[in-house]
């Protein structure tokens, strides 16, 4: 089950990066002062489609601070 979730999150990141024509690595970066819509959409879809807790979604997007993640949703 965990492997399925990880594959789902990877598929979401890959699909969003293609749709926004942005490198997949840009979905894992947070830059102060810059809005990253593709990242926010990928995080939102990951939460919606996987049903995982914010802590798990944060780990998949290299977000250590749960408050920062909650604000992006």
């Amino acid at each position: 089950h965990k492997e399925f979730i990880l594959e789902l999150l990877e598929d979401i990141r890959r699909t969003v990066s293609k749709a926004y024509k942005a490198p997949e690595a840009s979905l894992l970066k947070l830059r102060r002062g810059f809005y990253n819509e593709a990242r926010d959409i990928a995080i939102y879809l990951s939460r919606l489609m996987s049903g995982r807790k914010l802590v798990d979604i944060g780990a998949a997007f290299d977000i250590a601070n749960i408050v920062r993640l909650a604000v992006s949703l």
Side-chain angles (χ1 to χ4, degrees):
H1 181 71
K2 188 173 183 175
E3 292 169 1
F4 171 76
I5 296 297
L6 291 175
E7 286 182 34
L8 175 64
L9 297 180
E10 288 176 16
D11 287 344
I12 290 170
R13 284 196 310 251
R14 211 173 6 260
T15 302
V16 170
S17 80
K18 283 182 185 177
Y20 278 87
K21 297 180 176 116
E24 194 172 331
S26 71
L27 301 181
L28 302 176
K29 293 181 183 176
L30 180 64
R31 291 179 35 195
R32 183 175 291 196
F34 291 93
Y35 179 62
N36 188 342
E37 183 177 347
R39 176 185 167 92
D40 288 349
I41 294 297
I43 291 170
Y44 173 76
L45 290 174
S46 295
R47 175 81 166 123
L48 183 71
M49 296 178 73
S50 73
R52 302 300 297 172
K53 295 180 181 182
L54 286 178
V55 173
D56 299 333
I57 301 298
F61 285 87
D62 293 335
I63 301 173
N65 187 340
I66 194 74
V67 173
R68 184 177 292 153
L69 178 61
V71 169
S72 72
L73 293 176

